[in-house]
């Protein structure tokens, strides 16, 4: 539609030079935002990664690829990258699976008023620092909700301390993350369910498609685009996880919950080594791109097929 | 308009019920803990036999939380208004005139793809040069810029929905670009502006990473930063932490309850295009 409008009335042929500049000035604040938040940090980080830079005195001396060599040889950095990728994929898959189930149920439910929808979306508007605090209290070994419930059912609640266990701290943060962001998937998928073609579904139901078969052949193709988009958005958010780690475990115990974002924070703002932090940041950027590109391609493909 | 008679199922209601419990129980637990005394928070009870509001009183009178909430509100609302003022012309030009070609909209969102930690050190350096580090004004300006792409992304759908003929009529009547924007487009998208404004303000209010680095002095700290400071004590008082958390959440809850129609409308419009 937008295309046909442009074709019928090519704007650049009809508007004056003055008008064209007026239009450019309309987008100038947005371009400024892009420069300040995108281009400038990127150039800064590229420059810092090939130099000896501290927080107070950036770019003291050019060091070439030294930072990258140090960083790639550092087991902690490589481990944090793997941890981050595994974490991001796991919480995204869990959120999307749960979110699709909830959205489909919400649409089919006999009761699903606006109060229900508002409550389901609550975790989205709660500050992540509060979400972290809330689940830290739940996981608190002495008297937290989890240990109290386990004790009620006869287990040893006092021995349960997921946040100080190297094996369970990251899954505990992941659970919190899933609680916080699944509502976003519910929202995206639910709105797309509302937009699906009712007639197709009725026809399929008349032809004898019910339950799982109806869902697989009619509902799922209709919402596939929204699900793919939700997965992409969820993945990007998961790669950024910082607040929860900061509040719940500070990266510990040991390095068990040190995601790459948190590691960059530690190196840049605790060790003040901006050069090394920048090298890790670029490495993270490459990893994020490599992981999200297939998803973007998939989203495009689903959109084309739909 | 839409009939949903065919496939309503009790199983679906049960599933929705489970999700409701999963969402509400943690929040209610936080409230319950906020009414407990120091000993009770570690004694393994779910509800205090003698609930008391004293934690709430202590946090309100003797902590940095009320100030943090006030500063968060100022940065959130100020940043959101500024974002909208800068994003509306941009979104309109991108939708109507395809200014910047097909790619500008997508390019604007690209910084969002990377963890914000990437921008912290460069922004810190920039604010220091401008003499705005550790100030609420500096943080508000950063929030305003950060959310321009988000606001444009959400607004595009609403602007596309305005019939172009209305604007054409204005142009034929002799209105210039700015005049058409101010007296035709802005009034038409006013409900959308409210929705997007709320969403952006909530994003700002909840933001932690930038705030914690750009406002390090105590009298510039926003609510999430002030709350994170509660873990500095050797033996944290869980009741007070819970009360402080809820006090900071109240403004967002109030917005969600009173303005939910606009809020959900805005989220929905941004979402369908996903």
């Amino acid at each position: 539609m937008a295309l046909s409008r442009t074709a019928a009335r090519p704007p650049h042929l009809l508007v004056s030079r003055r008008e064209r500049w007026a239009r450019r000035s309309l987008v100038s604040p947005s371009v400024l935002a892009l420069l300040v938040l995108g281009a400038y940090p990127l150039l800064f980080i590229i420059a810092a990664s090939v130099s000896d830079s501290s927080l107070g005195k950036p770019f003291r001396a050019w060091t070439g690829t030294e930072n990258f060599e140090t960083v790639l040889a550092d087991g902690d950095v490589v481990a944090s990258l793997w941890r981050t990728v595994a974490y991001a994929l796991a919480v995204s898959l869990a959120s999307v699976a749960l979110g699709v189930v909830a959205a489909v149920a919400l649409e089919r439910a006999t009761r699903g008023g606006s109060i229900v929808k508002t409550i389901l979306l609550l975790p989205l508007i709660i500050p992540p620092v509060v979400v972290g605090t809330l689940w830290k209290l739940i996981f608190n070994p002495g008297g937290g909700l989890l240990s109290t419930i386990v004790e009620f059912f006869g287990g040893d609640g006092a021995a349960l301390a997921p946040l100080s266990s190297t094996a369970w701290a990251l899954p505990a943060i992941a659970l919190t993350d899933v609680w916080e962001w699944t509502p976003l998937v519910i929202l995206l998928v639910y709105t797309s369910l509302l937009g699906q073609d009712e007639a197709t579904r009725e026809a399929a139901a008349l032809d004898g498609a019910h339950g799982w078969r109806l869902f697989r052949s009619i509902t799922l193709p209709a919402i596939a685009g929204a699900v793919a988009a939700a997965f992409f958005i969820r993945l990007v958010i998961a790669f950024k996880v910082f607040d929860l780690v900061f509040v719940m475990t500070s990266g510990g115990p040991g390095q068990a919950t040190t995601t790459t974002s948190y590691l960059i924070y530690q190196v840049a703002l605790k060790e003040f080594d901006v050069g090394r932090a920048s090298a890790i940041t670029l490495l993270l950027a490459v990893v994020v791109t490599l992981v999200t590109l297939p998803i973007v391609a998939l989203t495009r493909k689903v959109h084309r097929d739909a | 308009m839409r009939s949903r008679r065919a496939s309503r199922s009790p199983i679906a209601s049960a599933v929705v019920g489970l999700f409701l419990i999963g969402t509400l129980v943690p929040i209610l637990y936080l409230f319950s803990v906020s009414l407990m005394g120091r000993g009770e928070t570690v004694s393994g009870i779910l509800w205090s036999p003698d609930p008391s509001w004293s934690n709430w009183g202590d946090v309100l009178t003797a902590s940095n939380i009320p100030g943090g909430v006030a500063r968060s509100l100022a940065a959130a609302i100020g940043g959101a208004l500024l974002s909208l003022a800068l994003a509306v012309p941009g979104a309109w030009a991108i939708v109507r005139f395809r200014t910047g070609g097909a790619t500008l909209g997508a390019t604007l969102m690209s910084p969002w793809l990377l963890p914000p930690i990437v921008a912290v050190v460069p922004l810190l350096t920039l604010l220091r040069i401008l003499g705005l580090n550790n100030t609420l004004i500096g943080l508000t300006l950063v929030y305003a810029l950060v959310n321009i792409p988000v606001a444009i992304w959400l607004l595009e759908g609403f602007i596309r929905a305005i019939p172009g003929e209305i604007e054409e009529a204005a142009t034929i009547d002799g209105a210039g670009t700015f005049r058409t924007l101010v007296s035709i487009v802005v009034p038409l998208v006013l409900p959308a502006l409210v929705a997007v404004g709320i969403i952006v303000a909530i994003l700002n209010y909840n933001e932690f990473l930038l705030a914690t680095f750009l406002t390090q002095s105590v009298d510039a700290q926003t609510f999430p930063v002030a709350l994170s400071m509660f873990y500095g004590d050797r033996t944290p008082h869980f009741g007070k932490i819970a009360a402080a958390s809820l006090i900071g959440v109240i403004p967002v809850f109030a917005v969600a309850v009173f303005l939910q129609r606009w809020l959900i409308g805005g989220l929905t419009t941004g979402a369908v295009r996903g």
Side-chain angles (χ1 to χ4, degrees), chain A residues 2-3 5-6 9 11 19 22-27 29-34 36-38 40-41 44-45 55-56 58 98 101-102 105-111 114 116-130 133-138 140 142-145 148 179 182 186-188 191 193-194 196 198 201-202 225 229 232-233 236-237 239-240 242-243 246-247 261 264-265 268-269 274 281 284-285 288 303, chain B residues 2-5 7-10 12-13 15-16 19-20 22-27 29-30 33 41-46 86-87 89-90 92-94 97-99 104 107-108 110-126 128 145-146 148-149 152-153 164-165 168 176-178 181 202 205-206 208-209 212-213 223-224 227-228 231 238 241-242 245 248-249 252-253 256 260 263-264 267-268 271-272 274:
Chain A
L3 269 177
R5 182 188 292 283
T6 326
R9 186 173 54 93
E19 197 74 332
R23 287 171 185 185
R24 273 180 204 149
S25 73
L26 294 177
V27 291
S30 317
V31 173
L32 177 73
L34 186 65
V36 173
L37 298 164
Y40 159 67
F44 186 103
I45 280 187
L55 193 53
L98 286 170
V101 168
L106 192 61
E107 202 238 0
R108 300 272 168 88
T110 42
R111 277 179 297 247
S114 67
V116 169
K117 285 167 205 156
T118 310
I119 291 175
L120 284 180
L121 295 183
L122 272 186
L124 274 185
I125 60 164
I126 299 179
V129 171
V130 171
T133 303
L134 156 61
W135 283 85
K136 195 180 162 113
L137 293 180
I138 291 177
N140 172 27
L145 183 61
T148 307
W179 185 84
T182 298
I186 300 181
L187 181 77
L188 295 170
T191 46
L193 277 170
L194 291 186
Q196 73 174 310
E198 190 63 17
R201 189 154 102 179
E202 274 167 29
F232 171 70
I233 293 172
V236 170
I237 293 172
F239 268 118
K240 298 183 190 185
F242 179 81
D243 322 41
F246 186 96
V247 171
S261 276
I264 296 168
Y265 151 74
L269 294 128
V274 170
T281 305
L284 176 65
V288 171
H303 269 290
Chain B
R2 297 158 27 73
S3 65
R4 273 268 168 267
R5 58 331 72 176
S7 51
R8 310 218 140 174
S9 98
S13 291
V15 172
V16 171
F19 273 92
L20 277 179
T23 308
L24 272 178
V25 164
I27 301 172
Y29 176 69
L30 189 66
V33 171
T41 58
V42 291
S43 64
I45 51 170
L46 295 182
L86 301 176
W92 183 56
I94 288 171
F97 310 128
R98 316 193 104 216
T99 307
L104 184 62
T107 317
L108 283 176
S110 58
W112 181 75
L113 296 177
L114 279 182
I117 191 95
V118 171
V120 165
V121 174
L123 285 179
L124 197 63
T125 312
L126 184 66
R128 200 185 282 149
L145 287 181
V146 165
I148 287 177
I152 289 184
W153 187 62
E165 289 74 17
E168 273 164 37
T177 309
F178 290 104
L181 175 66
I202 290 178
Y205 186 88
N206 294 350
F208 173 67
L209 182 71
T212 198
F213 297 117
F223 161 70
L227 181 63
S228 74
Y231 292 101
F238 296 124
I241 292 177
S245 306
V249 170
V252 214
F253 273 18
Q260 57 151 311
L263 183 63
I264 291 185
L267 287 167
T268 310
V272 230

Side-chain angles (χ1 to χ4, degrees), chain B residues 129-155:
Chain B
I129 294 168
L130 297 172
L132 288 172
N133 58 328
N134 270 326
T135 65
L136 211 50
I137 294 177
L139 187 68
T140 308
L141 288 176
V142 169
Y143 283 170
L145 287 181
V146 165
N147 285 310
I148 287 177
V150 183
I152 289 184
W153 187 62
L154 290 169
L155 282 170

Side-chain angles (χ1 to χ4, degrees), chain A residues 43-96:
Chain A
L43 291 175
F44 186 103
I45 280 187
I46 291 173
S49 70
V50 292
S51 67
D52 178 18
S53 292
S54 74
L55 193 53
K57 291 195 180 120
F59 323 122
R60 278 184 298 203
W62 301 108
T63 57
T65 56
E66 196 184 300
N67 282 319
F68 288 98
E69 283 159 27
T70 323
V71 158
L72 283 170
D74 185 342
D76 284 349
V77 174
V78 179
S80 88
L81 284 167
W82 282 116
R83 192 178 294 124
T84 304
V85 170
Y87 175 90
L89 287 173
V91 294
S92 304
L93 286 171
S95 295
V96 169

